[in-house]
């Protein structure tokens, strides 16, 4: 008999495989499309006619569905950090299929992610799945979780109303802070909706409970907010900086929110909790190393082009903007 944790683990790993592979498929599709028309980064839509891009999109959809279902079976402390495995999958596949070489530090980053993930899996808590959406509502109404929600929303409002106009374009933590806080509430709401759907399929109808629709509405609002401010962050700052910081903040806040609402660590020994935290820190370290390595690889060819041509940064930038190859 497969336990809920084992089912959640299998779904989380398969989700990472699908999502990691989808990045490569979509990138290869974009490259093929760019050879026949205007690049996507410059307003082109020829990639919509490229079958490989659509395969990548479908693969990513399967990955997101698997990730959604994984939260139904396993605690967030197990599922969320395993998202780092998708970075390993994409880095390894890019090494072989896109000729984007994985350097020695990149390999160490992969090793850190794998070791940290194994530590988390070994010491992950066994979650007690609620038997109704009303039980989940009681968990959400706990004073500790309500305080977490109140603090999160207060910080989000302060960031949007005060910090964004003042320093949103210069401080990366403004946009990523909003994304991460809203993201932690997104996961809690999606987990509640997922459990309600699972119970309904098992014959215990939860669809007509107002709590189910409330969680669904909160999830929809949080997802939209999350996407808006993540896009702002990516549009304003370097993606190689945004990705690791967002991963660290989102994962940390999601684990904290889940530990408060679903009491993930109740009944666990101090040693197990300490091992999970160490595993989590190891995964975060590996993720940052991998992204730092990729940023180095992207910057190196550009530096070489500037040195070889003898042009200044501004001259090279203007040349690339108006180059016919784009």
């Amino acid at each position: 008999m497969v336990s809920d944790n084992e089912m959640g683990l299998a779904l989380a790993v398969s989700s990472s495989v699908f999502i990691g592979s989808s990045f490569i498929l979509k990138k290869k599709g974009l490259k093929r499309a760019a050879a026949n028309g205007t690049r996507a980064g410059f307003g082109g839509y020829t990639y919509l006619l490229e079958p490989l891009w659509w395969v990548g999109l479908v693969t990513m959809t399967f990955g997101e569905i698997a990730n959604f279902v994984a939260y139904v079976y396993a605690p967030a402390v197990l599922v969320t950090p395993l998202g780092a495995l998708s970075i390993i999958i994409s880095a390894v596949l890019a090494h072989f299929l896109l000729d984007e070489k994985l350097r020695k530090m990149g390999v160490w980053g992969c090793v850190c992610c794998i070791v940290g993930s194994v530590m988390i899996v070994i010491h992950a808590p066994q979650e007690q799945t609620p038997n109704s959406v009303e039980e989940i509502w009681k968990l959400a109404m706990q004073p500790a979780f309500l305080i977490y929600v109140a603090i999160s929303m207060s910080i989000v409002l302060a960031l949007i109303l005060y910090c964004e106009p003042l320093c949103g374009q210069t401080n990366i933590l403004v946009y990523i802070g909003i994304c991460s806080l809203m993201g932690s509430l997104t996961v809690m709401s999606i987990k509640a909706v997922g459990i309600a759907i699972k119970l309904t399929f098992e014959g215990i109808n939860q669809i007509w409970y107002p709590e189910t629709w409330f969680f669904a509405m909160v999830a929809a609002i949080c997802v939209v907010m999350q996407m808006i401010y993540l896009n702002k962050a990516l549009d304003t700052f370097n993606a190689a900086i945004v990705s690791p910081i967002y991963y660290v903040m989102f994962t940390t806040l999601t684990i904290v929110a889940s530990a408060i609402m679903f009491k993930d660590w109740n009944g666990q020994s101090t040693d197990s909790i300490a091992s999970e935290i160490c595993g989590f820190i190891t995964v975060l370290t590996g993720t940052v190393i991998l992204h730092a390595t990729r940023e180095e690889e992207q910057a190196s060819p550009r530096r070489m082009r500037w040195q070889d041509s003898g042009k200044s940064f501004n001259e090279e930038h203007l040349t690339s903007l108006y180059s016919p190859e784009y």
Side-chain angles (χ1 to χ4, degrees):
M1 183 69 179
V2 179
S3 69
D4 281 355
N5 263 22
E6 289 170 341
M7 178 67 77
L9 171 62
L11 287 164
V13 172
S14 63
S15 168
S16 294
V17 172
F18 279 124
I19 292 173
S21 304
S22 74
F23 291 141
I24 307 305
L25 291 168
K26 289 172 76 176
K27 187 162 184 177
K28 285 184 75 70
L30 288 168
K31 282 188 171 184
R32 285 186 185 178
N36 301 316
T38 307
R39 290 177 58 177
F42 290 82
Y45 293 97
T46 51
Y47 62 87
L48 294 175
L49 302 174
E50 179 54 53
L52 197 57
W53 184 86
W54 284 102
V55 172
L57 183 64
V58 171
T59 305
M60 177 171 279
T61 303
F62 279 129
E64 294 296 347
I65 291 171
N67 192 54
F68 169 78
V69 180
Y71 280 111
V72 176
Y73 288 96
V77 70
L78 171 61
V79 176
T80 308
L82 291 180
L85 296 179
S86 65
I87 302 171
I88 298 176
I89 299 294
S90 62
V92 172
L93 289 177
H95 177 82
F96 291 106
L97 300 178
L98 297 175
D99 201 31
E100 296 178 3
K101 298 304 178 185
L102 190 61
R103 297 186 179 183
K104 189 176 290 184
M105 284 301 293
V107 173
W108 279 114
C110 291
V111 170
C112 285
C113 288
I114 292 169
V115 170
S117 297
V118 170
M119 290 174 67
I120 291 169
V121 169
I122 291 172
H123 299 282
Q126 187 69 45
E127 188 177 60
Q128 296 298 318
T129 305
N131 295 315
S132 72
V133 75
E134 289 178 318
E135 281 189 32
I136 304 173
W137 182 258
K138 288 178 183 176
L139 293 173
M141 290 296 108
Q142 297 171 101
F145 187 70
L146 290 176
I147 290 170
Y148 174 83
V149 173
I151 291 172
S152 297
M153 294 311 299
S154 299
I155 295 173
V156 166
L157 287 173
L159 289 172
I160 292 173
L161 299 176
Y162 178 73
C163 297
E164 184 182 359
L166 194 66
C167 56
Q169 296 294 311
T170 56
N171 191 330
I172 194 171
L173 294 179
V174 174
Y175 292 144
I176 293 183
I178 297 169
C179 291
S180 302
L181 287 163
M182 297 305 290
S184 67
L185 299 178
T186 299
V187 171
M188 297 304 101
S189 303
I190 284 177
K191 186 176 179 73
V193 173
I195 292 172
I197 293 171
K198 178 193 173 192
L199 290 170
T200 300
F201 282 140
E202 291 174 353
I204 309 171
N205 196 336
Q206 305 292 306
I207 297 299
W208 302 117
Y209 284 92
E211 293 88 347
T212 301
W213 294 101
F214 177 82
F215 284 125
M217 183 181 67
V218 170
I221 293 170
C222 290
V223 165
V224 170
M225 288 281 292
Q226 198 179 345
M227 290 302 100
I228 288 171
Y229 283 93
L230 182 57
N231 285 333
K232 285 188 177 185
L234 290 170
D235 188 53
T236 308
F237 303 99
N238 192 316
I241 300 172
V242 171
S243 296
I245 296 175
Y246 174 59
Y247 178 81
V248 170
M249 289 184 67
F250 167 70
T251 306
T252 303
L253 289 168
T254 298
I255 289 174
V256 169
S258 184
I260 295 171
M261 180 172 171
F262 291 99
K263 298 181 170 31
D264 291 336
W265 285 331
N266 273 17
Q268 276 205 296
S269 66
T270 306
D271 290 345
S272 292
I273 295 172
S275 298
E276 286 170 42
I277 293 172
C278 288
F280 175 53
I281 293 171
T282 306
V283 170
L284 295 184
T285 303
T287 303
V288 172
I289 290 172
L290 266 172
H291 278 286
T293 305
R294 285 186 169 188
E295 170 66 2
E296 263 184 41
E297 289 172 357
Q298 290 169 1
S300 295
R302 295 181 67 185
R303 281 198 298 267
M304 287 175 64
R305 287 203 302 272
W306 299 336
Q307 290 168 0
D308 292 344
S309 63
K311 294 178 181 178
S312 68
F313 173 83
N314 288 333
E315 289 173 329
E316 178 67 23
H317 180 62
L318 287 171
T319 302
S320 66
L321 279 178
Y322 295 101
S323 172
E325 68 176 303
Y326 294 112

